[in-house]
Amino acid sequence: MDTMRLDLNLLLTLEALLAEQNVTKAAARLHLSQPAVSAQLNRLRDMFDDPLLIPARRGMTPTAKALELIVPVRESLDRLRLTLQSHKDFYPERANLTVTISCTDYTQAAIVMPLVLTLRQRAPGVRIAARPYNPLQFEQQLASGEVDIAIASPDATKAHLRSCHLFDETYVLIGRHGHPALKENLTIEEFVELEHVIVSPSGGSFTTPIDDALATFGHKRNVVMSAATFMFVPQIVSVSDLVALVPRRLLLAQPQQLAVTELPWLAEQFNVSLVWHERSHGHAGHRWVRELITQIMSHS
């Protein structure tokens, strides 16, 4: 590629197009006309010798080349913005700001609760609005500004969203004290025969990625209930013979008098990350809150 033909305006247009995946929305974000952005997209296609964005059912879909460009383009422009706007500081002790976070009740207890307690000391004017996490809606909520941050596992198909890894979470099996079938060295065959409660954030499902992993080994667990929230699970297993696989940090956030069984053969874990849209990336206050969350989690 001839870098002599590449100017800053084209990089800004490329960043907006990759974030919005829609020429009209990118034009509005850049305060340019749609024909002007279309013309710049054609120049970018010529320079990179790649279509970059191709028509899709809704908006446009980035090509493999475009997905490779997202991170380096963002990082380059972010460094430039930081240099040019370093004087625009955020003063948390004097700030008045509301940040809306999409999260499950588990991540609300494990992440949002310690965040709010820290904010009361460091930034009393910053408020947190916690909203239920919906895996089918959070992308649109971030794009519209209805939500500022989602706490979720990153999705490779949503590479236009920004993310920051917080931690990798593992599972433990919980049940009531005195449960007749819970013991150390529980085998996978014994595990699947137990009566399980699972959590379905989107509602109504009786399978999770754990069940997909079990199926590869020819096993299917006995799921008798699909719960809407994590916080309900410790309560029902404590008064029954039901059991549940739960994120380890759930027990830290909500202590219960429960029997906890480790399953060394269960290798599955999941990534917990902050996810946000380009529209709020440069906001100094939101950036400060995101960085505070990563600090809190790094010491938890």
Side-chain angles (χ1 to χ4, degrees):
M1 187 187 73
D2 182 4
T3 56
M4 295 295 292
R5 301 165 59 201
L6 188 62
D7 61 35
L8 179 59
N9 287 329
L10 285 180
L11 285 180
L12 291 170
T13 298
L14 179 58
E15 179 190 39
L17 285 166
L18 294 178
E20 301 292 349
Q21 299 184 13
N22 182 290
V23 172
T24 301
K25 291 181 179 179
R29 172 173 166 170
L30 295 166
H31 304 289
L32 296 174
S33 68
Q34 184 174 336
V37 172
S38 295
Q40 290 185 341
L41 175 56
N42 288 332
R43 289 179 61 191
L44 286 162
R45 285 168 167 164
D46 180 52
M47 289 178 184
F48 287 102
D49 191 25
D50 187 272
L52 298 177
L53 291 158
I54 56 178
R57 187 173 181 180
R58 293 184 178 179
M60 308 182 84
T61 298
T63 64
K65 180 65 176 179
L67 292 175
E68 291 178 2
L69 291 169
I70 288 178
V71 172
V73 167
R74 281 175 177 168
E75 290 180 347
S76 299
L77 291 174
D78 283 348
R79 283 195 292 269
L80 179 59
R81 292 187 185 104
L82 185 61
T83 300
L84 296 176
Q85 301 179 4
S86 59
H87 64 287
K88 295 183 178 180
D89 295 323
F90 176 73
Y91 301 98
E93 66 278 4
R94 301 201 304 265
N96 288 295
L97 176 68
T98 298
V99 178
T100 302
I101 300 179
S102 171
C103 53
T104 65
D105 55 340
Y106 149 62
T107 52
Q108 182 171 323
I111 299 172
V112 177
M113 182 172 67
L115 168 65
V116 170
L117 295 177
T118 303
L119 287 173
R120 303 325 305 146
Q121 302 298 319
R122 298 181 57 179
V126 176
R127 304 186 302 176
I128 299 298
R131 296 193 51 164
Y133 171 72
N134 187 320
L136 303 179
Q137 296 180 1
F138 82 94
E139 181 182 8
Q140 183 277 328
Q141 291 172 333
L142 289 170
S144 68
E146 190 177 350
V147 165
D148 300 307
I149 301 170
I151 302 177
S153 296
D155 184 338
T157 66
K158 297 178 173 56
H160 59 288
L161 296 176
R162 292 186 177 254
S163 64
C164 174
H165 177 262
L166 293 179
F167 54 85
D168 291 319
E169 181 64 288
T170 57
Y171 294 95
V172 292
L173 183 68
I174 60 172
R176 67 174 177 86
H177 281 299
H179 191 296
L182 288 186
K183 60 181 181 179
E184 292 185 13
N185 302 317
L186 192 72
T187 68
I188 190 170
E189 291 80 10
E190 293 168 329
F191 168 81
V192 297
E193 291 299 321
L194 298 171
E195 294 186 325
H196 292 260
V197 181
I198 68 166
V199 174
S200 173
S202 57
S205 175
F206 282 84
T207 61
T208 72
I210 295 291
D211 297 282
D212 297 334
L214 290 170
T216 64
F217 295 100
H219 293 290
K220 181 179 180 181
R221 62 176 168 167
N222 181 21
V223 178
V224 301
M225 180 179 180
S226 174
T229 68
F230 282 98
M231 294 306 173
F232 170 75
V233 173
Q235 182 179 357
I236 192 170
V237 302
S238 68
V239 295
S240 69
D241 282 342
L242 301 180
V243 299
L245 275 180
V246 297
R248 190 176 299 273
R249 288 176 185 246
L250 178 66
L251 301 183
L252 297 176
Q254 187 187 30
Q256 292 281 342
Q257 298 301 314
L258 295 169
V260 178
T261 302
E262 299 284 347
L263 302 175
W265 46 263
L266 184 67
E268 277 66 32
Q269 59 182 24
F270 61 95
N271 174 334
V272 177
S273 294
L274 298 181
V275 182
W276 65 98
H277 194 272
E278 192 69 25
R279 53 167 289 280
S280 63
H281 177 70
H283 189 288
H286 289 184
R287 182 172 64 248
W288 182 85
V289 171
R290 293 193 301 265
E291 291 173 351
L292 179 60
I293 294 172
T294 61
Q295 292 171 14
I296 294 170
M297 290 298 101
S298 68
H299 293 96
S300 64

